[in-house]
Amino acid sequence: MTTLTVYDPAMCCSTGICGTDIDQKLITLAADLDWLRAQGVAVQRFGLSREPAEFVANDQIRDLMQASGGDDLPAFVVDGKLVAKAHYPDRIEMAAWAGVAVDQEMPPSKRGGCCCGPAKAERKQGACC
């Protein structure tokens, strides 16, 4: 089983999805991580403000933190290998790391078009109905 570990920068809560001004990237990441779990990928997520010991315990993350002062977070580790830093990847990128095929279950927003399907999106010139 593939294990994906996410090292988040300091946030207000475990997902960063709280309050009134929520970053859409964090909402999308939470959904994509849930999707990976449903595909059989083991997902761990650590936050700097809640679990600093996890950052220190991983040599790659500790070195990354020392070199960047934390500016390179978030960081993503797959089966012990650092695969991305300083950005939130999309579902397609994370699926490729885990060896999971992305199929028709992917939301329309990730496939292009809109929630109403490609035909309606074309009529509205890319805007969702």
Side-chain angles (χ1 to χ4, degrees):
M1 174 187 293
T2 300
T3 300
L4 169 65
T5 306
V6 181
Y7 294 87
D8 281 308
M11 296 190 294
C12 57
C13 64
S14 63
T15 61
I17 303 174
C18 60
T20 57
D21 188 23
I22 301 170
D23 186 342
Q24 180 61 43
K25 287 183 238 173
L26 295 174
I27 296 170
T28 301
L29 177 68
D32 290 345
L33 294 177
D34 285 345
W35 178 81
L36 281 172
R37 286 184 187 100
Q39 306 308 307
V41 175
V43 176
Q44 299 176 305
R45 191 170 183 187
F46 300 118
L48 183 58
S49 57
R50 297 175 329 278
E51 296 116 343
E54 296 294 339
F55 290 68
V56 174
N58 183 307
D59 292 341
Q60 294 174 94
I61 300 303
R62 187 179 58 243
D63 292 347
L64 179 74
M65 294 286 295
Q66 288 175 344
S68 72
D71 289 342
D72 281 343
L73 295 177
F76 294 79
V77 175
V78 175
D79 292 335
K81 180 181 174 192
L82 179 66
V83 294
K85 61 182 181 180
H87 77 282
Y88 286 104
D90 64 18
R91 181 179 295 192
I92 293 170
E93 191 174 3
M94 290 191 292
W97 297 338
V100 174
V102 178
D103 59 20
Q104 297 303 319
E105 292 181 24
M106 182 171 261
S109 62
K110 295 282 185 181
R111 294 190 308 254
C114 74
C115 60
C116 304
K120 288 186 178 180
E122 290 172 12
R123 277 187 251 145
K124 292 200 168 233
Q125 298 176 347
C128 188
C129 45

